[in-house]
């Protein structure tokens, strides 16, 4: 019987989903025949890191998420600049990195590309069969779209898959989609009947959200603030405030779901104005995290 490999990855996130698929390809390349178990991680209250109890496999992996000092952690890949809570965690990561299986690079646009590049350069993996998956994960997570309108478009099937992952991206969705993304072309998975059916109600909710954000948005000093905490939102699509308020350099969005209030802060790369603030550093003061731009 093969190893039991536990993978904790960023949930409700296309890059977290794609990172898991990319890592499974890497691990299969090194050790065929393993069994993979997936857990979706979040950044809400009480979710400051991976519960050590989850890391109960023969090998334990964290992807696209905060570092854990657990001695049971065997693989780590992340690109968030707020990956480490303190100097002790950085030291523990450095010790693990010396073993050749822990990698962090805040300059990367996506964790998926980090796994692909490390897999190629360090372990001889050929990532070309999933080049589309890597390219799309990098484009989506780093917002490398030509315009805000393109970033919010639903024309491409992969953008609909991204929407499904954002809403339904829990551990069950990872179990359903990671194996498919490992073995099937991205365009086939994205255009599947399951994705179409799952996305249909999401599209209607996104339209409702856009209308509400247009009404609630207030632009002042290059910052658009949108307070939508007066009702519950299960859908809060990214980049909408940039498309609605193209002159805004920064966006501050407050939303509320059934379980959590969320403050989303980001830099609008299509504003035509340079970013002057490290958003990750600001949010880290209050327990948040991410990248300098979001």
């Amino acid at each position: 019987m093969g190893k039991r490999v536990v993978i904790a990855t960023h949930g409700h996130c296309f890059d977290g989903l794609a990172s898991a698929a990319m890592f499974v390809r890497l691990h299969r390349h090194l050790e065929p025949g393993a069994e993979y178990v997936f857990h979706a991680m979040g950044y809400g209250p009480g979710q400051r890191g991976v519960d050590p109890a989850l890391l109960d496999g023969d090998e334990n992996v964290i992807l696209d998420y905060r570092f854990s000092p657990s001695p049971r952690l065997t693989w780590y890949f992340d690109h968030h600049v707020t990956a480490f809570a303190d100097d002790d965690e950085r030291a523990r990561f450095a010790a693990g990195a010396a073993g050749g299986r822990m990698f962090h690079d805040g300059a990367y646009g996506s964790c998926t590309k980090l796994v692909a590049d490390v897999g190629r350069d360090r372990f001889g993996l050929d990532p070309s069969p999933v080049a589309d998956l890597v390219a799309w994960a990098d484009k989506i997570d780093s917002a490398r779209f030509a315009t805000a309108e393109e970033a919010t478009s639903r024309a491409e099937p992969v953008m609909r898959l991204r929407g499904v992952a954002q809403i339904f991206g829990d551990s069950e969705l990872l179990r359903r989609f990671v194996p498919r993304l490992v073995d099937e072309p991205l365009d086939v998975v994205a255009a599947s009947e399951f994705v179409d059916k799952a996305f249909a109600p999401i599209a209607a909710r996104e339209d409702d959200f856009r209308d509400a954000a247009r009404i609630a948005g207030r632009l002042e000093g290059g910052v658009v603030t949108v307070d939508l905490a007066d009702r519950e939102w299960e859908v809060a699509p990214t980049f909408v405030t940039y498309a609605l308020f193209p002159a805004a350099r920064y966006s501050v969005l407050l939303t509320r779901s059934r379980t959590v209030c969320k403050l989303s802060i980001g830099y609008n790369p299509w504003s035509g104005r340079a970013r002057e603030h490290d958003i990750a550093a600001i949010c880290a003061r209050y327990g948040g995290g991410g990248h300098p731009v979001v």
Side-chain angles (χ1 to χ4, degrees):
M1 186 174 180
K3 286 183 176 179
R4 182 173 180 269
V5 180
V6 173
I7 300 175
T9 189
H10 190 186
H12 299 274
C13 169
F14 184 80
D15 188 34
L17 170 65
S19 295
M22 194 68 243
F23 178 82
V24 170
R25 290 187 69 89
L26 171 59
H27 194 270
R28 280 188 183 179
H29 168 72
L30 298 174
E31 299 185 55
E35 170 199 2
Y36 299 98
V37 178
F38 303 100
H39 297 295
M41 298 293 103
Y43 282 96
Q47 296 174 305
R48 297 296 299 273
V50 177
D51 182 350
L54 295 178
L55 303 178
D56 60 356
D58 299 309
E59 292 193 57
N60 299 288
V61 186
I62 296 178
L63 305 172
D64 198 34
Y65 194 65
R66 287 171 170 152
F67 181 75
S68 169
S70 169
R72 295 189 60 83
L73 183 65
T74 49
W75 287 91
Y76 183 74
F77 289 88
D78 188 42
H79 68 129
H80 294 88
V81 296
T82 52
F84 309 104
D86 50 39
D87 290 340
D88 179 62
E89 285 196 1
R90 290 184 181 276
R92 288 174 180 262
F93 164 79
R101 293 196 170 188
M102 295 191 185
F103 305 90
H104 177 268
D105 192 333
Y108 266 76
S110 70
C111 185
T112 305
K113 193 172 190 309
L114 176 61
V115 178
D117 286 357
V118 168
R120 180 195 63 219
D121 298 341
R122 299 286 189 93
F123 301 104
L125 175 70
D126 177 12
S128 61
V130 287
D132 283 352
L133 179 67
V134 176
W136 269 107
D138 206 52
K139 184 174 185 176
I140 289 171
D141 219 49
S142 58
R144 292 195 177 108
F145 298 93
T147 64
E149 288 72 22
E150 181 189 358
T152 56
S153 171
R154 306 163 186 162
E156 293 283 354
V158 68
M159 295 295 279
R160 297 194 288 274
L161 174 58
R162 168 214 186 194
V164 171
Q166 286 181 327
I167 303 305
F168 301 112
D170 57 9
S171 302
E172 178 57 36
L173 182 132
L174 293 172
R175 286 190 286 271
R176 175 189 288 268
F177 275 101
V178 170
R180 293 194 63 185
L181 290 172
V182 171
D183 296 324
E184 301 177 45
L186 174 61
D187 58 350
V188 171
V189 178
S192 66
E193 182 180 2
F194 178 88
V195 172
D196 284 344
K197 287 185 176 180
F199 187 72
I202 295 175
R205 295 171 193 168
E206 285 186 351
D207 290 340
D208 189 19
F209 183 92
R210 178 185 288 265
D211 291 341
R214 179 184 294 107
I215 295 170
R218 300 291 181 268
L219 179 61
E220 184 177 356
V223 179
V224 58
T225 57
V226 184
D227 183 349
L228 296 180
D230 60 335
R231 57 179 281 195
E232 292 181 358
W233 296 95
E234 295 306 318
V235 172
T238 53
F239 309 131
V240 165
T241 52
Y242 306 151
L244 292 175
F245 301 92
R249 178 162 45 165
Y250 299 102
S251 168
V252 179
L253 171 65
L254 177 63
T255 55
R256 174 172 62 90
S257 70
R258 285 175 292 179
T259 58
V260 66
C261 288
K262 182 178 180 181
L263 190 63
S264 302
I265 305 172
Y267 163 68
N268 179 2
W270 305 286
S271 67
R273 302 176 64 188
R275 176 178 61 86
E276 297 179 354
H277 303 82
D278 185 335
I279 295 174
I282 295 172
C283 292
R285 301 173 195 164
Y286 308 97
H291 309 286
V293 297
V294 64

